[in-house]
Amino acid sequence: MTAERTTSLSEAEERITFLQIFWTYFKIGLFTLGGGFAMAAILRHELVLKRGWISDYEFMSEMSTATLIPGAVAVNMAYLQGRRLRGKRGAFTASLGVILPSFLIILLIALFALPYFQNPHVKAFLKGCSLAIAGQIAYAAFVFGRKYLNTLHNIIICVLGLVLLLVFKVHPVFAVVSAGVLGYFLCRHREKRAE
Amino acid sequence: MRLLFQLLKSFMIIGIGAYGGGLVTIPLIQHEIVGTRGWLLFDEMASLLAIAQMTPGPIAVNAATFVGFRVAGSAGAAVATFGGVLPALSILFFGAPLIDRVKTNRHAAMFREGLQVGVLSLLFYAAWAYGSAAVGSLTQFFVAAGAFLTLVFLEGKIHPIFVVLACGILGVFIF
């Protein structure tokens, strides 16, 4: 079983070139709107279903690691899957592939479209968009809130986080990390009491 | 050179805090770039983020490239993008084997839940900090509230980008 698995892996390694990895992730970066979880669905289609490079179980496991690490989920997934396919060099090839289209598209927009941002119609359009984003942030808070504000200790952490941010005006990164630490200790406390 | 170094530092901080990427980067960019550094006005940042949202690719990467460009040109775009992904890639590079081991660990699960609730407070904070800076009149409030209600009531049936585009088009007619 182990020997079989090793051969199939080394065959897979021979089959998948760096160019293939780069091109796959480049296409995903180029055509996927909406980042993170939208991208995960397309990645799964491309890697698990179409190419069979990785199994569904491996995909889900890497997805959960990708969300444990800060930063864009798509970039983290690309790194982890690239690493599975061709080691560390594969990891960097995949990451570069998924980042590069974003970088180039935005650079083109910045070079050629930025002057038009002062046009009153464009300005009004962007103002409308930024108001929608305010609504979208509130919506994300609503969805997450519904999911996590179901235990007393999560509510305590959330309120303390808000007090840190709004009253003490701490750095947002500090607030997120201290919520993680506090959550950890509250969880442990609860488990100890249960024992 | 000094500016590029500061830009790198700011985006590394943003990259560390951006759990889940995307929308979570918005309050961080607002805090670092508009607040602490004062490199952009809120409205300029909001315009860049709107474009970042509508173009393909991870929002966090798009936003870093665009804000970096606006602050320090093409070099700024490269530096900000690099800074934004550097924390995640370093953690993965040095810690991936370790992460695989602790991922299913009970302690990691407890820490993760705390982090997710931390991100939730950040989202509430962002709804207030970004919302109060973006909304300048009653009409604007109704547009933002309309977007929120549309997303809540059509949950899963509509891609958020269509709501953003629809509000943009609405904006052309009413602003």
Side-chain angles (χ1 to χ4, degrees), chain B residues 77-96:
Chain B
V79 164
T81 310
F82 179 68
V85 297
L86 193 59
L89 293 187
S90 316
I91 293 172
L92 287 165
F93 183 78
F94 294 108

Side-chain angles (χ1 to χ4, degrees), chain A residues 30 32-33 61 64-65 68-71 76 79 102 125 127-128 130 136 139 146 148 154 171 179 184 187 191, chain B residues 16 18-19 32 53-57 62 88 93 99 103 106-107 110-113 116-118 130 134 155 167-168:
Chain A
L30 190 61
T32 319
L33 274 172
S61 157
S64 102
T65 312
L68 192 63
I69 308 292
N76 297 347
Y79 184 96
S102 284
F125 176 78
K127 183 70 200 175
S130 56
Q136 206 189 340
Y139 168 70
R146 194 174 49 187
Y148 289 111
N154 278 357
H171 198 287
Y184 174 75
C187 248
E191 282 195 359
Chain B
I16 293 169
Y19 274 91
E32 275 295 313
Q53 171 91 326
M54 284 182 283
T55 39
N62 292 344
F93 183 78
I99 293 160
K103 187 173 57 182
R106 215 160 42 89
H107 295 280
M110 293 193 269
F111 184 63
R112 168 193 282 214
E113 188 164 335
Q116 269 156 347
V117 179
Y130 180 96
E155 195 173 345
C167 288

Side-chain angles (χ1 to χ4, degrees), chain B residues 34-120:
Chain B
V34 178
T36 311
R37 295 290 181 189
W39 281 327
L40 294 180
L41 296 171
F42 175 82
D43 278 340
E44 291 177 289
M45 179 206 72
S47 302
L48 301 188
L49 291 176
I51 300 289
Q53 171 91 326
M54 284 182 283
T55 39
I59 298 164
V61 178
N62 292 344
T65 309
F66 217 165
V67 172
F69 184 91
R70 187 62 190 68
V71 173
S74 304
V79 164
T81 310
F82 179 68
V85 297
L86 193 59
L89 293 187
S90 316
I91 293 172
L92 287 165
F93 183 78
F94 294 108
L98 183 75
I99 293 160
D100 281 341
R101 239 180 303 146
V102 299
K103 187 173 57 182
T104 46
N105 182 306
R106 215 160 42 89
H107 295 280
M110 293 193 269
F111 184 63
R112 168 193 282 214
E113 188 164 335
L115 273 180
Q116 269 156 347
V117 179
V119 167
L120 174 62

Side-chain angles (χ1 to χ4, degrees), chain A residues 41-55:
Chain A
I42 294 174
L43 271 173
R44 183 173 168 272
H45 177 82
E46 189 81 13
L47 297 168
V48 180
L49 306 177
K50 201 173 128 197
R51 298 181 190 260
W53 282 354
I54 55 179
S55 74

Side-chain angles (χ1 to χ4, degrees), chain A:
Chain A
M1 167 69 200
T2 326
E4 234 173 55
R5 188 166 164 70
T6 321
T7 32
S8 77
L9 257 182
S10 62
E11 271 170 21
E13 277 183 16
E14 274 169 33
R15 214 171 50 233
I16 302 162
T17 64
F18 288 116
L19 191 67
Q20 274 179 307
I21 295 177
F22 181 81
W23 181 235
T24 304
Y25 284 92
F26 190 87
K27 265 195 318 196
I28 287 163
L30 190 61
F31 293 119
T32 319
L33 274 172
F37 297 98
M39 215 171 246
I42 294 174
L43 271 173
R44 183 173 168 272
H45 177 82
E46 189 81 13
L47 297 168
V48 180
L49 306 177
K50 201 173 128 197
R51 298 181 190 260
W53 282 354
I54 55 179
S55 74
D56 224 356
Y57 174 78
E58 291 164 341
F59 184 86
M60 289 306 170
S61 157
E62 264 144 22
M63 174 96 190
S64 102
T65 312
T67 53
L68 192 63
I69 308 292
V73 178
V75 178
N76 297 347
M77 298 256 308
Y79 184 96
L80 288 163
Q81 291 162 352
R83 175 166 159 269
R84 181 182 295 284
L85 297 172
R86 288 300 299 265
K88 280 188 172 145
R89 282 188 297 164
F92 284 107
T93 307
S95 313
L96 191 67
V98 84
I99 294 165
L100 212 54
S102 284
F103 181 73
L104 295 175
I105 292 171
I106 295 289
L107 206 58
L108 281 177
I109 294 175
L111 286 169
F112 298 107
L114 218 45
Y116 299 102
F117 279 26
Q118 293 311 314
N119 173 295
H121 292 300
V122 177
K123 240 180 164 166
F125 176 78
L126 290 171
K127 183 70 200 175
C129 294
S130 56
L131 290 170
I133 291 175
Q136 206 189 340
I137 295 172
Y139 168 70
F142 168 77
V143 171
F144 267 93
R146 194 174 49 187
K147 189 170 166 197
Y148 289 111
L149 294 182
N150 50 4
T151 63
L152 181 65
H153 94 246
N154 278 357
I155 295 172
I156 293 171
I157 299 169
C158 186
V159 170
L160 281 177
L162 272 175
V163 169
L164 281 178
L165 285 163
L166 289 169
V167 182
F168 294 100
K169 305 206 184 297
V170 302
H171 198 287
V173 174
F174 179 75
V176 172
V177 176
S178 49
V181 176
L182 183 66
Y184 174 75
F185 283 112
L186 281 177
C187 248
R188 241 178 53 165
H189 178 71
R190 191 180 49 184
E191 282 195 359
K192 273 199 184 135
R193 272 213 336 215
E195 270 165 16

